[in-house]
Amino acid sequence: MTEQQKVHPVSDDFAANAWIDKEKYQAMYQHSVDDPEGFWAEQAKRVDWIKAPTKIKNTSFDSHNVDIRWFEDGTLNASTNCLDRHLTDRGDQTAIIWEGDDPNDAKHISYRELHAQTCQLANALKALGIGKGDVVTLYMPMIPEAAMAMLACARIGAVHSVVFGGFSPDALAQRVVGADSKLIITADESVRGGKQVPLKDNVDAALTRPGTEVCEKVLVVKRTGGEIEWKEGRDVWYHDLVDKQSSDCPAEEMNAEDPLFILYTSGSTGAPKGLKHTTGGYLTYASLTHQYIFDYQDGEVYWCTADVGWVTGHSYIVYGPLANGATTLMFEGVPSYPTHGRMGEIVDKHSVNILYTAPTAIRALMAHGDSVMDSSKRDSLRVLGSVGEPINPEAWEWFYRVIGNSNCPIVDTWWQTETGGILISPLPGAMDLKPGSATLPFFGVLPALVDSEGNELEGVADGNLVILDSWPGQARSIWGDHDRFVQTYFSTYKGVYFTGDGCRRDEDGYYWITGRVDDVLNVSGHRMGTAEIESSLVAHESVAEAAVVGFPHDIKGQGIYIYVTLTDGVEPSDALKKELTQWVRKDIGPIASPDVIQWAPGLPKTRSGKIMRRILRKIAANECDGLGDTSTLADPSVVDDLIEHRAIR
Ligand code: WTA
């Protein structure tokens, strides 16, 4: 039997105690697609509404009029749902376990404390002139203040836009300008793997860029006490302002469709897009999926290893778990520090029951052999989860056997920044697992596969993954550019949401995500547009032209392979390769570091001047035999040169 055919059936014991078993999944799924209005009206009751919605679903995927509204006459506040409503029953329960980069640093924050500190911060935001509808940028380490900042914004109706702390000043500036953000919340430095990252310096640099004058204030958490510059009148210490505020802050009554947050992500073309997520549908969906997909049971400790800079951190570190009154663990550091055993040691230290991580982290550990887990027992674990990229069956089995002691179901959760929450995933008490498959759709989700003309494929098939109808967690628009939203997601195939992913459906109806079919790279689970990297490179004086493609990478899933055509008269050299690598890291961030740079005297282009990426991808993957038809190229001989000089790995 090949790895791909291996099935791990649901254990009877697990199913007996799970929220959802096979029968229940079938019944609820059927209800959700037969009667979405009735199903979601019922599910929305898990949220505390100020005014309960009477209108449930009002959505159109018609490309002339894409309009998505859920619970549109309901009002609520997301922060009271994550905080206030838990105070009576679980005020003293730990809401956030924070584990610092240094293994000796940890703290527990109860729901009562989280509530009080969030209210203080919310009052501080008001004192800084922030109100309903204003956009606040968060550029923060993985510290509890990041969750507080998100919730404090939600409390007063401000819209947060979290920018991953690994992004460069330019990337930060671009997002501040794009969202018209009046305030940045940051820290002096973040600490990861024993190293300091100069967040405040990066903010200072970002705020010298044109257009960033919109940002009037910078609120700074003192994390390390490292040396930073200070701009009087603009910069405010968090502890100076927040500590003196009242811990009472009434929550703003928000419409279900008022924006909760913006989150930038990469697409195949142009600058990153700020996806707009709204309040009622998002919160309902994040909390429902968190409870059922991780089978979260009251009192359990749940750990998602993502960063709050990504959507996974939004939905499955902050909003989903806290709306459910869970204990959510937030880890500041990296899994390899101080040793590769750290992840298992954290599980033991805090008796983690549910561990949600990424294939790239699993593969990195796996490369060190089974003994990397010798320093921990991990017998508290009950459910494992994977997200961000396809998980190869070998990594799945290793995760299952070594980390999970062959004792925990794995939920391979497929979703996107745009989807707000998980769309395709096992429910651990309901699905037999096939390593590498995200299995079946969540309630209310209607996946379909289409060919390149948009014809729907039935049964066993391989095609482009689309979703036929709306679900409550879906992004409503691109901030300030609804046309781009329609163009990007609803125009390739009419009347459906196009995910950008390729997918196969097997004989059991299980979905196997095969990866992006557009020019988006997924490097260690981080989404990046090839166009963004290319435009960074061509801004360098030595670069005439650049083409970026992904190639299979053992640990990262995909690596970044760059073909560079130099400006006339510039000599290729290793020093120049280093310089270009630094250039991209500085321009976008270390996550965009090129793995391979190949000098390309010419790029394969059609007669109309379009670069044939298909060929470049093949060469980068060392698959030079199956290049297909190159006769339409303007100059087929460039291909021979590229093959001859390709980087052999
Ligand atoms: C990929 C992350 C296979 C996919 C939540 C998607 C996955 C992109 C999986 C979204 C998975 C995410 N199996 N591929 N379980 N999860 N992806 O917006 O290509 O950062 O389109 O959201 O990651 O990345 P994003």
Side-chain angles (χ1 to χ4, degrees):
M1 209 195 290
T2 68
E3 292 279 29
Q4 289 210 344
Q5 291 162 331
K6 201 162 175 178
V7 178
H8 293 253
V10 182
S11 91
D12 293 342
D13 281 357
F14 194 99
N17 298 305
W19 285 110
I20 309 285
D21 62 12
K22 280 187 184 168
E23 288 70 40
K24 206 153 176 203
Y25 169 73
Q26 284 304 338
M28 284 177 76
Y29 184 75
Q30 206 55 49
H31 180 202
S32 75
V33 297
D34 291 347
D35 173 23
E37 297 258 345
F39 179 84
W40 288 110
E42 191 58 34
Q43 298 306 326
K45 292 183 184 152
R46 65 188 296 110
V47 167
D48 274 4
W49 298 88
I50 299 169
K51 180 178 169 294
T54 63
K55 296 185 185 161
I56 304 304
K57 180 176 189 283
N58 180 7
T59 64
S60 163
F61 281 4
D62 175 351
S63 59
H64 299 296
N65 174 38
V66 173
D67 192 357
I68 301 159
R69 299 166 200 235
W70 284 89
F71 316 121
E72 61 183 303
D73 63 346
T75 64
L76 74 164
N77 184 282
S79 95
T80 56
N81 270 282
C82 293
L83 301 169
D84 308 48
R85 66 164 168 166
H86 304 314
L87 295 181
T88 350
D89 290 344
R90 54 175 94 240
D92 297 323
Q93 182 200 303
T94 300
I96 297 179
I97 299 175
W98 178 74
E99 168 78 12
D101 185 61
D102 178 333
N104 299 312
D105 261 357
K107 60 183 166 197
H108 285 65
I109 300 169
S110 69
Y111 271 98
R112 203 176 315 288
E113 291 164 333
L114 186 62
H115 173 261
Q117 292 172 31
T118 300
C119 286
Q120 285 186 299
L121 176 53
N123 283 324
L125 295 181
K126 285 188 191 168
L128 291 170
I130 301 298
K132 186 169 178 172
D134 289 333
V135 178
V136 176
T137 300
L138 275 52
Y139 184 65
M140 298 184 75
M142 282 291 287
I143 53 178
E145 287 83 351
M148 291 169 197
M150 292 164 79
L151 295 169
C153 288
R155 193 157 192 97
I156 63 170
V159 181
H160 57 74
S161 167
V162 187
V163 177
F164 174 57
F167 276 125
S168 69
D170 284 313
L172 173 63
Q174 190 179 32
R175 288 157 175 78
V176 167
V177 176
D180 234 353
S181 177
K182 285 170 70 174
L183 170 72
I184 298 177
I185 309 181
T186 188
D188 47 2
E189 298 175 317
S190 68
V191 199
R192 283 164 57 80
K195 295 196 196 79
Q196 280 74 36
V197 182
L199 294 182
K200 173 62 165 60
D201 285 357
N202 288 350
V203 171
D204 292 342
L207 292 184
T208 62
R209 308 292 195 262
T212 53
E213 306 78 33
V214 290
C215 179
E216 295 159 6
K217 298 279 180 192
V218 179
L219 186 62
V220 188
V221 178
K222 189 179 257 184
R223 168 64 189 94
T224 62
E227 209 166 297
I228 54 172
E229 303 273 314
W230 199 254
K231 190 163 172 191
E232 286 306 329
R234 185 195 73 184
D235 299 345
V236 181
W237 278 116
Y238 189 100
H239 54 267
D240 278 349
L241 184 66
V242 177
D243 291 356
K244 66 181 185 208
Q245 302 295 323
S246 154
S247 57
D248 179 25
C249 176
E252 198 71 35
E253 179 170 356
M254 304 299 287
N255 181 271
E257 283 301 338
D258 280 336
L260 178 62
F261 66 86
I262 308 172
L263 188 56
Y264 280 86
T265 190
S266 297
S268 44
T269 54
K273 309 177 280 252
L275 272 312
K276 173 177 127 180
H277 282 282
T278 59
T279 309
Y282 171 80
L283 198 67
T284 306
Y285 198 78
S287 78
L288 184 74
T289 47
H290 172 261
Q291 179 184 340
Y292 288 159
I293 292 171
F294 300 103
D295 192 49
Y296 184 81
Q297 306 283 341
D298 211 17
E300 286 192 313
V301 176
Y302 160 91
W303 179 22
C304 164
T305 69
D307 190 283
V308 287
W310 311 116
V311 74
T312 308
H314 284 61
S315 303
Y316 300 113
I317 294 177
V318 179
Y319 287 111
L322 295 178
N324 291 339
T327 297
T328 179
L329 192 150
M330 222 176 154
F331 175 41
E332 184 181 38
V334 296
S336 54
Y337 178 83
T339 68
H340 294 287
R342 184 75 189 273
M343 197 144 109
E345 289 158 20
I346 295 175
V347 168
D348 283 5
K349 176 174 173 186
H350 299 293
S351 301
V352 171
N353 306 110
I354 301 167
L355 172 65
Y356 188 29
T357 189
T360 187
I362 298 164
R363 288 190 299 259
L365 292 176
M366 192 172 137
H368 295 278
D370 295 7
S371 62
V372 293
M373 286 290 134
D374 283 355
S375 61
S376 57
K377 288 202 172 73
R378 300 164 316 288
D379 44 15
S380 53
L381 288 174
R382 199 173 64 83
V383 177
L384 302 175
S386 168
V387 62
E389 47 175 320
I391 180 163
N392 47 312
E394 298 72 23
W396 196 106
E397 292 290 355
W398 193 85
F399 192 23
Y400 182 81
R401 180 176 59 80
V402 181
I403 297 188
N405 297 318
S406 301
N407 210 13
C408 309
I410 298 178
V411 292
D412 174 4
T413 64
W414 174 83
W415 60 298
Q416 310 178 297
T417 306
E418 292 85 345
T419 70
I422 298 163
L423 295 197
I424 303 181
S425 168
L427 301 183
M431 272 69 142
D432 297 334
L433 304 173
K434 298 187 192 182
S437 170
T439 76
L440 297 170
F442 190 71
F443 305 134
V445 175
L446 286 166
L449 302 179
V450 297
D451 65 17
S452 50
E453 272 81 53
N455 304 307
E456 193 171 336
L457 307 167
E458 302 294 335
V460 175
D462 209 326
N464 301 301
L465 180 63
V466 299
I467 313 290
L468 302 178
D469 198 359
S470 183
W471 62 98
Q474 180 171 27
R476 304 302 194 246
S477 194
I478 290 174
W479 195 253
D481 198 349
H482 194 64
D483 285 348
R484 191 173 175 206
F485 183 66
V486 176
Q487 202 53 42
T488 310
Y489 305 107
F490 300 93
S491 304
T492 318
Y493 306 113
K494 298 287 175 221
V496 299
Y497 167 78
F498 177 43
T499 63
D501 278 316
C503 184
R504 184 163 62 79
R505 187 173 45 221
D506 72 12
E507 59 287 355
D508 294 319
Y510 274 34
Y511 290 87
W512 300 72
I513 309 295
T514 49
R516 302 288 306 195
V517 293
D518 54 11
D519 291 324
V520 171
L521 303 181
N522 191 330
V523 180
S524 299
H526 299 152
R527 235 171 110 163
M528 257 168 282
T530 49
E532 282 169 67
I533 305 173
E534 286 163 7
S535 69
S536 167
L537 284 162
V538 294
H540 189 283
E541 57 181 9
S542 303
V543 177
E545 206 168 15
V548 175
V549 297
F551 70 96
H553 187 287
D554 285 348
I555 306 277
K556 302 183 193 182
Q558 264 188 322
I560 301 177
Y561 196 113
I562 300 184
Y563 298 89
V564 172
T565 307
L566 293 170
T567 317
D568 280 350
V570 175
E571 285 302 315
S573 68
D574 285 346
L576 184 53
K577 276 190 187 174
K578 282 211 182 87
E579 189 178 322
L580 293 178
T581 301
Q582 284 310 321
W583 176 269
V584 175
R585 286 173 67 94
K586 194 170 153 295
D587 203 22
I588 302 176
I591 56 172
S593 292
D595 293 281
V596 179
I597 297 179
Q598 177 174 356
W599 305 122
L603 291 169
K605 289 185 189 167
T606 60
R607 287 188 194 98
S608 59
K610 206 168 164 303
I611 295 175
M612 293 203 40
R613 290 170 182 284
R614 178 175 57 79
I615 293 176
L616 294 176
R617 272 189 220 114
K618 289 267 185 200
I619 297 173
N622 261 327
E623 292 169 7
C624 302
D625 294 339
L627 287 184
D629 184 12
T630 54
S631 62
T632 55
L633 289 177
D635 176 7
S637 72
V638 299
V639 174
D640 300 330
D641 179 87
L642 292 179
I643 292 176
E644 189 184 334
H645 295 104
R646 74 185 187 275
I648 308 286
R649 294 171 308 279

